[in-house]
Amino acid sequence: MRNVSMPIVGTSTVWIKHAARTATALAACLFAAAWMVTAPAHADPQRIALLGVHLQNDNEGYEPTSDAERNRMKAVSDAFKKQLEASGKYTFVSVPASEQQKIDAGQLVGACGGCEYDYGRDLNVDHVAWIRVQKISNLILNINVYMADVSKQRVTFIHSVDLRNNTDEAWVRGINYLVQNYLLPAPQG
């Protein structure tokens, strides 16, 4: 009987030691992950201005743009800015109301022959960004994000994600997915 009970006690001791090592390793990983999330990514963030979020409603005549969609454009703008600033890579410069009125009254940013660079120089920023949401129907939409380097007068980022629902959640999840997976992807390793 003694020989039978001894291996069971030995196995329990080995299991406890293994569990302690696993817990220690897990705690170290969690500490490292928490440090990476809270540590500033860059000491000198790039100055950027968001020139606006534009909704291209392909069926405006049949289904006019709703207040809910206008609110979603604001939510997309806020989520975009929040994530880029949290990365530590960018700091947003506010666009004064007078400048925003000028942008809104002019040609569509990105299709204006370089006006986005002029706006960027006026705002004294390194980069400008603009977002276009295309609504094909209430089921099919896409979010397009554009970023440009003002001094080089060159678009540096263009990406689009498709949405399959016209809801608050779909719009915010779409911009979050685009930013996290294409604009600010986490380091692979």
PDB file of all heavy atoms in Angstrom, residues 9 11 37 45 51 53 62 75-76 82 89 97 99 106 120 122 126 130 143 154 158 160 185:
ATOM      1  N   VAL A   9       1.511  11.144  -4.255  1.00  0.00           N
ATOM      2  CA  VAL A   9       1.998  12.335  -3.570  1.00  0.00           C
ATOM      3  C   VAL A   9       3.071  13.004  -4.414  1.00  0.00           C
ATOM      4  O   VAL A   9       3.091  14.201  -4.586  1.00  0.00           O
ATOM      5  CB  VAL A   9       2.524  11.981  -2.157  1.00  0.00           C
ATOM      6  CG1 VAL A   9       3.220  13.163  -1.518  1.00  0.00           C
ATOM      7  CG2 VAL A   9       1.387  11.484  -1.293  1.00  0.00           C
ATOM      8  N   THR A  11       3.426  12.891  -7.660  1.00  0.00           N
ATOM      9  CA  THR A  11       2.789  13.496  -8.825  1.00  0.00           C
ATOM     10  C   THR A  11       2.134  14.815  -8.450  1.00  0.00           C
ATOM     11  O   THR A  11       2.209  15.794  -9.183  1.00  0.00           O
ATOM     12  CB  THR A  11       1.739  12.527  -9.424  1.00  0.00           C
ATOM     13  OG1 THR A  11       2.388  11.308  -9.746  1.00  0.00           O
ATOM     14  CG2 THR A  11       1.100  13.112 -10.662  1.00  0.00           C
ATOM     15  N   VAL A  37       1.365  48.389 -23.378  1.00  0.00           N
ATOM     16  CA  VAL A  37       0.157  49.157 -23.660  1.00  0.00           C
ATOM     17  C   VAL A  37       0.263  50.562 -23.093  1.00  0.00           C
ATOM     18  O   VAL A  37      -0.164  51.520 -23.711  1.00  0.00           O
ATOM     19  CB  VAL A  37      -1.085  48.431 -23.102  1.00  0.00           C
ATOM     20  CG1 VAL A  37      -2.301  49.330 -23.112  1.00  0.00           C
ATOM     21  CG2 VAL A  37      -1.351  47.166 -23.891  1.00  0.00           C
ATOM     22  N   PRO A  45       5.765  62.452 -31.229  1.00  0.00           N
ATOM     23  CA  PRO A  45       4.650  62.073 -32.101  1.00  0.00           C
ATOM     24  C   PRO A  45       4.487  63.045 -33.276  1.00  0.00           C
ATOM     25  O   PRO A  45       4.805  64.232 -33.163  1.00  0.00           O
ATOM     26  CB  PRO A  45       3.440  62.109 -31.177  1.00  0.00           C
ATOM     27  CG  PRO A  45       3.830  62.977 -30.034  1.00  0.00           C
ATOM     28  CD  PRO A  45       5.322  62.875 -29.914  1.00  0.00           C
ATOM     29  N   LEU A  51      -9.150  65.954 -41.575  1.00  0.00           N
ATOM     30  CA  LEU A  51      -9.854  66.962 -42.362  1.00  0.00           C
ATOM     31  C   LEU A  51     -11.346  66.696 -42.474  1.00  0.00           C
ATOM     32  O   LEU A  51     -12.078  67.549 -42.972  1.00  0.00           O
ATOM     33  CB  LEU A  51      -9.227  67.072 -43.756  1.00  0.00           C
ATOM     34  CG  LEU A  51      -7.737  67.445 -43.768  1.00  0.00           C
ATOM     35  CD1 LEU A  51      -7.218  67.503 -45.198  1.00  0.00           C
ATOM     36  CD2 LEU A  51      -7.486  68.754 -43.043  1.00  0.00           C
ATOM     37  N   VAL A  53     -14.811  63.536 -42.052  1.00  0.00           N
ATOM     38  CA  VAL A  53     -15.405  62.247 -42.430  1.00  0.00           C
ATOM     39  C   VAL A  53     -16.557  62.593 -43.365  1.00  0.00           C
ATOM     40  O   VAL A  53     -17.437  63.384 -43.013  1.00  0.00           O
ATOM     41  CB  VAL A  53     -15.925  61.472 -41.195  1.00  0.00           C
ATOM     42  CG1 VAL A  53     -16.586  60.174 -41.618  1.00  0.00           C
ATOM     43  CG2 VAL A  53     -14.785  61.206 -40.212  1.00  0.00           C
ATOM     44  N   TYR A  62     -33.263  58.006 -52.808  1.00  0.00           N
ATOM     45  CA  TYR A  62     -34.239  57.033 -52.305  1.00  0.00           C
ATOM     46  C   TYR A  62     -34.232  56.946 -50.786  1.00  0.00           C
ATOM     47  O   TYR A  62     -35.256  56.708 -50.156  1.00  0.00           O
ATOM     48  CB  TYR A  62     -33.956  55.641 -52.878  1.00  0.00           C
ATOM     49  CG  TYR A  62     -34.048  55.584 -54.376  1.00  0.00           C
ATOM     50  CD1 TYR A  62     -32.909  55.434 -55.153  1.00  0.00           C
ATOM     51  CD2 TYR A  62     -35.272  55.694 -55.023  1.00  0.00           C
ATOM     52  CE1 TYR A  62     -32.979  55.389 -56.530  1.00  0.00           C
ATOM     53  CE2 TYR A  62     -35.362  55.651 -56.406  1.00  0.00           C
ATOM     54  CZ  TYR A  62     -34.200  55.496 -57.155  1.00  0.00           C
ATOM     55  OH  TYR A  62     -34.284  55.462 -58.509  1.00  0.00           O
ATOM     56  N   ALA A  75     -18.766  59.399 -34.513  1.00  0.00           N
ATOM     57  CA  ALA A  75     -18.209  58.282 -33.734  1.00  0.00           C
ATOM     58  C   ALA A  75     -16.974  57.699 -34.420  1.00  0.00           C
ATOM     59  O   ALA A  75     -15.987  57.353 -33.760  1.00  0.00           O
ATOM     60  CB  ALA A  75     -19.268  57.199 -33.526  1.00  0.00           C
ATOM     61  N   VAL A  76     -17.003  57.607 -35.747  1.00  0.00           N
ATOM     62  CA  VAL A  76     -15.841  57.111 -36.503  1.00  0.00           C
ATOM     63  C   VAL A  76     -14.667  58.064 -36.326  1.00  0.00           C
ATOM     64  O   VAL A  76     -13.532  57.643 -36.089  1.00  0.00           O
ATOM     65  CB  VAL A  76     -16.211  56.913 -37.997  1.00  0.00           C
ATOM     66  CG1 VAL A  76     -14.973  56.801 -38.867  1.00  0.00           C
ATOM     67  CG2 VAL A  76     -17.091  55.685 -38.164  1.00  0.00           C
ATOM     68  N   LYS A  82      -8.824  58.753 -31.267  1.00  0.00           N
ATOM     69  CA  LYS A  82      -8.476  58.157 -29.969  1.00  0.00           C
ATOM     70  C   LYS A  82      -7.418  57.069 -30.133  1.00  0.00           C
ATOM     71  O   LYS A  82      -6.435  57.028 -29.389  1.00  0.00           O
ATOM     72  CB  LYS A  82      -9.736  57.579 -29.320  1.00  0.00           C
ATOM     73  CG  LYS A  82      -9.510  56.980 -27.962  1.00  0.00           C
ATOM     74  CD  LYS A  82     -10.803  56.463 -27.369  1.00  0.00           C
ATOM     75  CE  LYS A  82     -10.564  55.803 -26.023  1.00  0.00           C
ATOM     76  NZ  LYS A  82     -11.792  55.268 -25.455  1.00  0.00           N
ATOM     77  N   LYS A  89       2.120  57.589 -31.583  1.00  0.00           N
ATOM     78  CA  LYS A  89       2.760  57.958 -32.844  1.00  0.00           C
ATOM     79  C   LYS A  89       2.260  59.302 -33.370  1.00  0.00           C
ATOM     80  O   LYS A  89       2.943  59.947 -34.154  1.00  0.00           O
ATOM     81  CB  LYS A  89       2.494  56.891 -33.910  1.00  0.00           C
ATOM     82  CG  LYS A  89       3.162  55.569 -33.630  1.00  0.00           C
ATOM     83  CD  LYS A  89       2.857  54.585 -34.743  1.00  0.00           C
ATOM     84  CE  LYS A  89       3.521  53.249 -34.494  1.00  0.00           C
ATOM     85  NZ  LYS A  89       3.275  52.317 -35.594  1.00  0.00           N
ATOM     86  N   ALA A  97     -12.963  76.017 -36.574  1.00  0.00           N
ATOM     87  CA  ALA A  97     -14.263  75.994 -37.249  1.00  0.00           C
ATOM     88  C   ALA A  97     -14.212  76.721 -38.589  1.00  0.00           C
ATOM     89  O   ALA A  97     -14.796  76.254 -39.579  1.00  0.00           O
ATOM     90  CB  ALA A  97     -15.329  76.605 -36.340  1.00  0.00           C
ATOM     91  N   GLU A  99     -11.668  77.061 -40.614  1.00  0.00           N
ATOM     92  CA  GLU A  99     -10.939  76.219 -41.572  1.00  0.00           C
ATOM     93  C   GLU A  99     -11.797  75.022 -41.979  1.00  0.00           C
ATOM     94  O   GLU A  99     -11.811  74.629 -43.147  1.00  0.00           O
ATOM     95  CB  GLU A  99      -9.615  75.755 -40.963  1.00  0.00           C
ATOM     96  CG  GLU A  99      -8.707  75.035 -41.929  1.00  0.00           C
ATOM     97  CD  GLU A  99      -8.033  75.941 -42.955  1.00  0.00           C
ATOM     98  OE1 GLU A  99      -8.108  77.182 -42.830  1.00  0.00           O
ATOM     99  OE2 GLU A  99      -7.426  75.404 -43.897  1.00  0.00           O
ATOM    100  N   GLY A 106     -15.362  73.495 -49.970  1.00  0.00           N
ATOM    101  CA  GLY A 106     -14.533  73.281 -51.156  1.00  0.00           C
ATOM    102  C   GLY A 106     -14.800  71.941 -51.821  1.00  0.00           C
ATOM    103  O   GLY A 106     -15.767  71.236 -51.502  1.00  0.00           O
ATOM    104  N   GLY A 120      -3.045  71.146 -44.811  1.00  0.00           N
ATOM    105  CA  GLY A 120      -2.029  70.683 -43.863  1.00  0.00           C
ATOM    106  C   GLY A 120      -0.992  71.750 -43.557  1.00  0.00           C
ATOM    107  O   GLY A 120      -0.603  71.938 -42.400  1.00  0.00           O
ATOM    108  N   ASP A 122      -1.499  75.007 -43.856  1.00  0.00           N
ATOM    109  CA  ASP A 122      -2.194  76.041 -43.089  1.00  0.00           C
ATOM    110  C   ASP A 122      -2.315  75.664 -41.614  1.00  0.00           C
ATOM    111  O   ASP A 122      -2.267  76.524 -40.737  1.00  0.00           O
ATOM    112  CB  ASP A 122      -3.600  76.287 -43.653  1.00  0.00           C
ATOM    113  CG  ASP A 122      -3.589  76.947 -45.033  1.00  0.00           C
ATOM    114  OD1 ASP A 122      -2.513  77.429 -45.465  1.00  0.00           O
ATOM    115  OD2 ASP A 122      -4.662  76.953 -45.684  1.00  0.00           O
ATOM    116  N   ASP A 126       2.267  67.620 -39.833  1.00  0.00           N
ATOM    117  CA  ASP A 126       3.099  66.726 -40.632  1.00  0.00           C
ATOM    118  C   ASP A 126       2.254  65.879 -41.587  1.00  0.00           C
ATOM    119  O   ASP A 126       2.685  65.564 -42.693  1.00  0.00           O
ATOM    120  CB  ASP A 126       3.890  65.776 -39.717  1.00  0.00           C
ATOM    121  CG  ASP A 126       4.739  66.526 -38.712  1.00  0.00           C
ATOM    122  OD1 ASP A 126       5.545  67.372 -39.142  1.00  0.00           O
ATOM    123  OD2 ASP A 126       4.575  66.281 -37.495  1.00  0.00           O
ATOM    124  N   TRP A 130      -8.164  61.854 -43.938  1.00  0.00           N
ATOM    125  CA  TRP A 130      -9.576  62.036 -44.214  1.00  0.00           C
ATOM    126  C   TRP A 130     -10.195  60.652 -44.374  1.00  0.00           C
ATOM    127  O   TRP A 130      -9.510  59.688 -44.711  1.00  0.00           O
ATOM    128  CB  TRP A 130      -9.843  62.940 -45.414  1.00  0.00           C
ATOM    129  CG  TRP A 130      -9.298  62.477 -46.731  1.00  0.00           C
ATOM    130  CD1 TRP A 130      -9.975  61.829 -47.725  1.00  0.00           C
ATOM    131  CD2 TRP A 130      -7.959  62.649 -47.222  1.00  0.00           C
ATOM    132  NE1 TRP A 130      -9.147  61.585 -48.795  1.00  0.00           N
ATOM    133  CE2 TRP A 130      -7.902  62.077 -48.508  1.00  0.00           C
ATOM    134  CE3 TRP A 130      -6.800  63.230 -46.690  1.00  0.00           C
ATOM    135  CZ2 TRP A 130      -6.749  62.064 -49.283  1.00  0.00           C
ATOM    136  CZ3 TRP A 130      -5.640  63.199 -47.465  1.00  0.00           C
ATOM    137  CH2 TRP A 130      -5.620  62.632 -48.733  1.00  0.00           C
ATOM    138  N   ILE A 143     -15.649  51.696 -45.363  1.00  0.00           N
ATOM    139  CA  ILE A 143     -14.940  52.829 -44.758  1.00  0.00           C
ATOM    140  C   ILE A 143     -13.562  52.881 -45.407  1.00  0.00           C
ATOM    141  O   ILE A 143     -12.842  51.879 -45.433  1.00  0.00           O
ATOM    142  CB  ILE A 143     -14.799  52.661 -43.233  1.00  0.00           C
ATOM    143  CG1 ILE A 143     -16.168  52.645 -42.559  1.00  0.00           C
ATOM    144  CG2 ILE A 143     -13.922  53.776 -42.658  1.00  0.00           C
ATOM    145  CD1 ILE A 143     -16.119  52.397 -41.059  1.00  0.00           C
ATOM    146  N   ARG A 154       2.506  63.571 -50.601  1.00  0.00           N
ATOM    147  CA  ARG A 154       2.323  62.191 -51.047  1.00  0.00           C
ATOM    148  C   ARG A 154       1.374  61.458 -50.114  1.00  0.00           C
ATOM    149  O   ARG A 154       1.507  61.557 -48.886  1.00  0.00           O
ATOM    150  CB  ARG A 154       3.682  61.491 -51.056  1.00  0.00           C
ATOM    151  CG  ARG A 154       3.706  60.153 -51.736  1.00  0.00           C
ATOM    152  CD  ARG A 154       5.089  59.606 -51.664  1.00  0.00           C
ATOM    153  NE  ARG A 154       5.249  59.157 -50.283  1.00  0.00           N
ATOM    154  CZ  ARG A 154       5.979  58.140 -49.907  1.00  0.00           C
ATOM    155  NH1 ARG A 154       6.703  57.485 -50.755  1.00  0.00           N
ATOM    156  NH2 ARG A 154       6.038  57.784 -48.654  1.00  0.00           N
ATOM    157  N   ILE A 158      -3.624  54.262 -47.670  1.00  0.00           N
ATOM    158  CA  ILE A 158      -4.985  54.131 -48.198  1.00  0.00           C
ATOM    159  C   ILE A 158      -5.428  52.718 -47.862  1.00  0.00           C
ATOM    160  O   ILE A 158      -4.731  51.755 -48.187  1.00  0.00           O
ATOM    161  CB  ILE A 158      -5.052  54.283 -49.729  1.00  0.00           C
ATOM    162  CG1 ILE A 158      -4.509  55.617 -50.193  1.00  0.00           C
ATOM    163  CG2 ILE A 158      -6.478  54.078 -50.223  1.00  0.00           C
ATOM    164  CD1 ILE A 158      -4.398  55.735 -51.708  1.00  0.00           C
ATOM    165  N   SER A 160      -9.258  50.268 -47.033  1.00  0.00           N
ATOM    166  CA  SER A 160     -10.707  50.204 -46.963  1.00  0.00           C
ATOM    167  C   SER A 160     -11.132  48.923 -46.255  1.00  0.00           C
ATOM    168  O   SER A 160     -10.463  47.902 -46.379  1.00  0.00           O
ATOM    169  CB  SER A 160     -11.265  50.205 -48.393  1.00  0.00           C
ATOM    170  OG  SER A 160     -12.666  50.097 -48.380  1.00  0.00           O
ATOM    171  N   PRO A 185      -0.799  48.133 -36.883  1.00  0.00           N
ATOM    172  CA  PRO A 185      -0.803  46.719 -36.473  1.00  0.00           C
ATOM    173  C   PRO A 185       0.169  46.458 -35.337  1.00  0.00           C
ATOM    174  O   PRO A 185       1.211  47.114 -35.234  1.00  0.00           O
ATOM    175  CB  PRO A 185      -0.355  45.974 -37.734  1.00  0.00           C
ATOM    176  CG  PRO A 185       0.414  46.975 -38.509  1.00  0.00           C
ATOM    177  CD  PRO A 185      -0.206  48.319 -38.195  1.00  0.00           C
TER     178      PRO A 185
END
